[in-house]
Structure formats: C-alpha cells, structure tokens
Amino acid sequence: MFDKLDDLLIRFEEVLNELGEPGVTDNQERFQKLMKEQSDLQPIVDTYTEYKKNKETIQDSLSMLEEEKDEDMREMLKEELSDAKKRVEELEQELKILLLPKDPNDSKNVIVEIRAGAGGDEAALFAAEIYRMYVKYAESRRWKTEMMSLNENGIGGFKEVTFMIQGQGAYSRLKYESGVHRVQRVPETESGGRIHTSTCTVAIMPEAEEIDFHLDMNDCKFDVFRASGNGGQCVNTTDSAVRLTHIPTGIVISCQDEKSQLKNKDKALKVLRSRLYEMELAKQHDAEAEARRSQIGTGDRSEKIRTYNFPQGRVTDHRIKLTLHRLESILGGDLDEIIDSLIAADQAAKLSSLNEEE
C-alpha cells in the first residue's frame, strides 16, 4: 500500500508542475484532465502527509522518552505518543478507503425512474411522495432537477415518472437507492382504517454520454403524437410529444414535457442511452460475482430495500438493518444519514473482500 502511496505523491507533484507551466490552459481538454486528476489525488495526498507526520511524531516521542528524566515531561510525551498512535491507526483505515477502486460513474448526473408497484392508486400516491423526497434532497445539495416524463393517475399520484438530477457526485450518493421501496399506512381512500402495504420501484441510472454508450440510430423508431394532460399554452395543440422505440430491446420511452418536439426527442434519447448503459453495467456486475456480492444493493430493481412505516413513524433500510424514527424528515429530503450509512457499509464490505484476497 505504501509503495502505491509514494507513487501517487510523485504523480501529484508532476501534475502540479504541469499545471504551473505557462500556456497550460491553451489545451483546455488537457487542462481539465489535469485539474480533475489533482482534485482526485488531493484527499489521498493530504491524508498520507498527515499519516507521515504522525509516524514522525511517534519516532520523536520514543527517542525523547529514552533520554527524558523529568516525570512531567515524560507524561506529556507519553500522551503525545498515545495520540499519534491512535491517529495513525485511523489514518491507515482512511487511506485504505481512499485507495479502493473508484466507480467511474460516481461523478455523473443521474436519471431516476420511479414506477408505482403493487397497491393501485395508493402506490401511485407513494411514488409521487418518493419523487418529492428526491427533489427535496437534490435541493438540499444544490443539485438541479429536470422532468423527463410523467404519467399521472388523476388524483395526484404518479404511475411513472422519469427525471434527471444534475450535480457533482449525484450518482455516488444516489446509486444505493435502486430497488423496491415499500410503504405501510392507512390509505386516505380506505374507510375501514386498515393498514395497507404498497410499493414503488426506483431505478437510478448514471447519465450516459455518447462516449459511454454508442446508440445506433437505425435501431430507433420515433413516433410523434399530441401531448395529453393539463392543457393550455399549446401543450395539446401540436404534435410535440415523442414516443421512442428501441427495436432490439423493445424499450419504449415517451416524452411530452417540452413544447418542442426536438427537445422531447433529445430527452427520450438521453433516457434510452442511460437505460441501455445501465443494462450493460448490470451484465458486467453479474460477470463479476465477487464484486457484486460486496456491493450494498446497487442496481437490482427487484430487491426490497426500504420500508416507510407511517403508524410507527419509522423508516427501515433492510440491507444494513438501519431503523430511524423520523419518517417525516426523511420524506422531506433528509436522506444523508441513510446514504452515509450505506456508503460506510459498502466500503467496509469492499475492504473485507480485499483483506480476504490478501
């Protein structure tokens, strides 16, 4: 590990030197690449530098203890030594985590698909609440959201909604949200006051660029139709809505959110490209069985991941056995504690897997 860290220190110095050269900004592509590499290496370099300082402190304290006779000074040196040893252990763990292989999609924007599952209208109402939860979470992190397509049920519920979240590291934090979300509560439409269980499925897909996934336009069939839904302001008066069919897979995507046919076509292509890219990633994950086992439920749409229980005011994430009794704030977008716990569990599983290999 330390040989690798020393190599990274050397590389970091090289990057800084290149960034300091005159005319470095003339080649913007090269400049951006160097800036990203510096940004990626900085936390590792900072942590390793602190680690080495604490190792030096340990050596210095041990040397001084051998010569020091004054008891007060010896006590002070022992305390310093103990603190440095403890910090070295913490930093070693941090460095192991920082050196874990990075998910190349972590910095990407995400496309989120939420679909009502079992439970009829109640499931659609729950899907709309889960959509609002993610929008509020995105707002709390100053990320942007953009509606791609929406199919409502007429009473405020969503049969299906697709939207984009744009922001640095969006995929790195939201990738654990894919799967089945379950709600337990008395529906407003239930006169007998019985608790019902309804579900919705969430799919989190990294936004796929042309460079990630080449889409053959000969495999795509476009149909245009008149948008439906709340009318006014020419929404229902022009054939602006677009239905995109991917012939090899049979995937169908409809977009009617924009007034412009061209913009709807562009949105539909973004969703399709990301969906196909996600399918490709799933194949890779299945091929790497060990890596798949070490992941904390990323990507499997059929996995029941979380229950939102209204009578008890609790949210339980089943993958990490975490229960929090603050359902209202979580549905209000306060997701950081759950996501941080999932990230920590994922890192621990990957570290354990690496230790087994060693």
Side-chain angles (χ1 to χ4, degrees), residues 5 44 47-48 51 91-99:
L5 285 164
I44 300 172
T47 307
Y48 189 37
Y51 172 85
L91 290 164
E92 267 187 23
Q93 191 67 11
E94 284 177 35
L95 286 166
K96 283 178 184 174
I97 290 169
L98 286 167
L99 289 175

Side-chain angles (χ1 to χ4, degrees), residues 144-238:
K144 290 181 183 175
T145 58
E146 179 187 358
M147 182 66 75
M148 310 293 276
S149 69
L150 174 62
N151 182 3
E152 297 173 273
N153 74 341
I155 60 166
F158 295 172
K159 292 179 185 175
E160 185 179 332
V161 59
T162 304
F163 61 105
M164 181 184 280
I165 297 179
Q166 297 168 298
Q168 183 59 39
Y171 184 74
S172 72
R173 293 194 67 76
L174 290 172
K175 62 184 174 183
Y176 304 100
E177 294 299 299
S178 284
V180 176
H181 293 240
R182 184 174 72 164
V183 64
Q184 294 173 325
R185 65 180 169 192
V186 178
E188 289 176 25
T189 52
E190 170 63 43
S191 57
R194 290 176 301 149
I195 294 169
H196 282 226
T197 297
S198 305
T199 64
C200 71
T201 58
V202 174
I204 303 287
M205 301 173 288
E207 183 193 9
E209 309 288 341
E210 295 264 5
I211 196 166
D212 297 316
F213 189 91
H214 173 68
L215 181 61
D216 188 345
M217 295 308 290
N218 292 322
D219 291 339
C220 299
K221 176 174 173 274
F222 287 95
D223 297 302
V224 294
F225 59 99
R226 193 155 294 180
S228 61
N230 300 324
Q233 303 206 328
C234 82
V235 172
N236 301 331
T237 57
T238 58

Side-chain angles (χ1 to χ4, degrees), residues 32 35 52 82 119 132 155 193 210 232 298 356:
Q32 293 295 336
M35 288 295 288
K52 292 209 291 188
S82 174
R132 287 190 288 272
I155 60 166
E210 295 264 5
T298 57
E356 282 172 19

Side-chain angles (χ1 to χ4, degrees), residues 331-345:
L331 284 174
D334 185 6
L335 286 169
D336 275 332
E337 186 176 354
I338 295 176
I339 290 172
D340 288 341
S341 300
L342 286 163
I343 290 170

Side-chain angles (χ1 to χ4, degrees), residues 72-87:
D72 288 343
M73 277 299 291
R74 285 181 67 81
E75 281 304 312
M76 195 171 79
L77 286 166
K78 282 178 186 175
E79 196 175 321
E80 198 175 70
L81 178 63
S82 174
D83 289 346
K85 280 183 175 178
K86 186 183 172 187
R87 188 64 186 131

Side-chain angles (χ1 to χ4, degrees), residues 250-280:
I251 292 172
V252 178
I253 290 150
S254 298
C255 280
Q256 61 177 42
D257 199 53
E258 300 285 350
K259 295 173 190 173
S260 153
Q261 188 184 115
L262 202 62
K263 284 182 179 175
N264 281 324
K265 184 178 176 181
D266 183 51
K267 281 187 175 183
L269 282 169
K270 273 186 180 178
V271 175
L272 176 62
R273 192 177 284 115
S274 295
R275 218 188 265 185
L276 293 171
Y277 182 50
E278 185 211 24
M279 287 166 68
E280 197 61 40

